[in-house]
Amino acid sequence: MDSTASSLLLCPPPLLSLNKPNATNVSSSSSSSSSSSSVVFDSASMRSQSKIPTQFIWPPCDRRQRLDELNEPVIDMLEFACGDASVRRRSAALVRSVCTSHGFFQVVNHGIDPSLISAALESMDAFFALPLARKSKARRVPGSMSGYAGAHADRFSSKLPWKETLSFRYGNDGSGRPIVDYFASIPGEDFAQMGEVYQKYCEAMHGVSMAIMELLATSLGVEKTCFRRFFKGGSSIMRLNYYPPCQEPELTLGTGPHCDPTALTILYQDQVGGLEVFTNQKWHSIRPRRDALVINIGDTFTALSDGRYKSCLHRAVVNRQSVRRSLAFFLCPKEDKVVRPPEGLLSRGGGGCGPRKYPDFTWSELLKFTQKHYRADTTTLQAFIQWLLSSSAS
């Protein structure tokens, strides 16, 4: 199986335009606004309109309908941690099979308290229910990963996603409680309790991510703690995704087709459904599981495995009736960390044979590329390597 997107199925995106015109509030203007104008995403006002603004309409090649539900493996993390050698080998074999194919699986018995997940969902409901003016006080500053964004209209002017997000950084270097501090200082003191919830949630997600790194190391046949060490002291990203109902869901997407540039994504999705994964040249829906966490491989780990494991190509669709929510934790290394496969993989040759597939780079270089030069899509890693090599040559 090959998760590589065919040009017949997916539209190639342009390089990121950094010259943004002044914003236009399309919640109160006609949908004939120029597609080159930025928009202010006020979903409450937009629901009263019969048509969605043109900036939210995606080309048909990106909106192709999904056909089947993906039959992805569900890994029992408690069995992997406590089972005998045969159980661990079986889990590792399942993960190896899907990660060389499409980079997507789910995990259960992950140790996250259901009440903590409920509190995280309730907190995001409270935030996104605020008036737009109040949410905008926490708006993302250009060039930053943290803050509120409506449809990412601060960065892009077309093919906008039908969603709102709140993102913030989580560092696991033991220095203070950065998320508590962020919520108290940016959204304000009224959100201090919300910061406590997400501090605990991110600490729990980091613990899960390290257990999954051990699973991935085992599946790749390298020393089981090598990836734990690689990500020690990293600065990960937490994102709350809020997808409002849409009057024309068949014309837009909640999130466009892309591979995450980070190393690993751990996602909790509510029971509404809408996540889809591309494999075998078609889109597959992902059935929500109340007790499971969704795991997908990102571009950084693809490079870290020297191409052995695929970065998961995925998207999110929206619907007419229901809000959809998801909690995404993106595992990242330190920004100055050099992304280089462990010696145990290099000794076997890149991708199994021959030279290495990807050169050394730092996470900060890839992050800069996706924030300033390129909109994350189906070929981000390949485009980044070309940019990196051309920049080095010049």
Side-chain angles (χ1 to χ4, degrees):
M1 294 190 292
D2 185 3
S3 62
T4 303
S6 165
S7 60
L8 297 176
L9 293 176
L10 296 169
C11 298
L15 286 175
L16 189 66
S17 173
L18 300 180
N19 299 316
K20 298 283 292 172
N22 293 331
T24 300
N25 189 339
V26 300
S27 66
S28 58
S29 63
S30 72
S31 62
S32 62
S33 300
S34 169
S35 62
S36 65
S37 297
S38 297
V39 302
V40 175
F41 184 55
D42 187 348
S43 60
S45 298
M46 287 182 182
R47 289 175 201 167
S48 64
Q49 302 177 11
S50 60
K51 301 289 186 181
I52 64 173
T54 55
Q55 294 94 332
F56 290 88
I57 297 177
W58 286 67
C61 52
D62 284 330
R63 292 186 275 117
R64 289 182 181 272
Q65 296 300 303
R66 55 96 176 162
L67 299 176
D68 304 303
E69 185 176 289
L70 186 66
N71 184 28
E72 78 282 2
V74 179
I75 305 298
D76 188 318
M77 293 303 293
L78 185 60
E79 280 191 356
F80 177 75
C82 302
D84 59 24
S86 64
V87 171
R88 292 173 65 87
R89 283 195 300 270
R90 183 167 63 249
S91 297
L94 281 172
V95 167
R96 183 166 54 251
S97 175
V98 295
C99 287
T100 54
S101 167
H102 51 67
F104 182 91
F105 58 98
Q106 299 201 50
V107 298
V108 295
N109 287 330
H110 40 68
I112 306 301
D113 189 335
S115 66
L116 180 57
I117 294 175
S118 295
L121 291 172
E122 290 168 5
S123 293
M124 72 179 291
D125 285 342
F127 178 84
F128 289 111
L130 292 171
L132 179 61
R134 184 68 184 88
K135 289 181 287 191
S136 295
K137 290 183 178 180
R139 75 170 66 89
R140 182 174 55 201
V141 176
S144 170
M145 291 299 300
S146 299
Y148 168 78
H152 295 322
D154 58 322
R155 297 186 63 207
F156 311 122
S157 58
S158 64
K159 296 203 300 184
L160 297 182
W162 192 267
K163 69 174 178 179
E164 300 174 72
T165 63
L166 179 65
S167 307
F168 39 93
R169 304 296 288 263
Y170 168 73
N172 68 305
D173 58 0
S175 59
R177 308 182 73 204
I179 297 176
V180 173
D181 295 341
Y182 170 78
F183 273 85
S185 62
I186 304 300
E189 286 293 339
D190 293 345
F191 297 86
Q193 182 56 41
M194 194 177 291
E196 292 281 354
V197 169
Y198 290 119
Q199 181 75 40
K200 292 176 182 176
Y201 188 86
C202 286
E203 289 169 357
M205 285 296 108
H206 178 73
V208 173
S209 71
M210 292 299 96
I212 292 170
M213 281 298 136
E214 185 173 318
L215 172 60
L216 292 173
T218 302
S219 71
L220 282 165
V222 296
E223 199 277 318
K224 69 178 184 179
T225 64
C226 69
F227 295 134
R228 279 181 176 266
R229 296 194 302 272
F230 180 85
F231 289 99
K232 183 178 181 181
S235 179
S236 296
I237 302 163
M238 181 73 205
R239 179 166 296 156
L240 316 180
N241 296 306
Y242 186 85
Y243 303 90
C246 178
Q247 58 269 43
E248 293 183 299
E250 69 280 358
L251 296 181
T252 191
L253 290 169
T255 302
H258 71 288
C259 298
D260 294 332
T262 48
L264 186 81
T265 304
I266 305 177
L267 183 91
Y268 182 84
Q269 59 171 338
D270 65 15
Q271 299 305 294
V272 173
L275 178 62
E276 298 182 350
V277 169
F278 190 83
T279 184
N280 282 342
Q281 297 299 308
K282 58 186 177 182
W283 288 103
H284 298 258
S285 64
I286 303 301
R287 179 166 60 89
R289 300 174 186 269
R290 196 175 300 276
D291 61 341
L293 295 172
V294 166
I295 310 298
N296 65 262
I297 300 296
D299 287 337
T300 298
F301 197 86
T302 293
L304 200 55
S305 68
D306 205 32
R308 287 172 170 82
Y309 281 4
K310 304 288 187 182
S311 188
C312 176
L313 175 55
H314 58 288
R315 68 182 185 183
V317 299
V318 292
N319 65 82
R320 294 178 188 275
Q321 293 83 25
S322 302
V323 169
R324 177 176 178 264
R325 304 160 299 166
S326 68
L327 303 160
F329 181 85
F330 301 98
L331 179 67
C332 311
K334 289 182 179 179
E335 290 195 4
D336 62 354
K337 191 75 172 179
V338 175
V339 178
R340 189 173 199 269
E343 289 301 324
L345 289 181
L346 292 179
S347 63
R348 290 179 248 158
C353 60
R356 284 179 58 187
K357 190 170 184 179
Y358 304 105
D360 288 354
F361 61 88
T362 63
W363 163 235
S364 62
E365 289 173 322
L366 178 54
L367 182 62
K368 175 184 175 181
F369 179 72
T370 58
Q371 291 300 299
K372 295 186 176 181
H373 301 291
Y374 196 84
R375 182 173 182 172
D377 67 341
T378 62
T379 58
T380 303
L381 185 56
Q382 296 90 323
F384 165 68
I385 296 303
Q386 292 177 5
W387 173 80
L388 184 69
L389 294 176
S390 64
S391 298
S392 299
S394 60

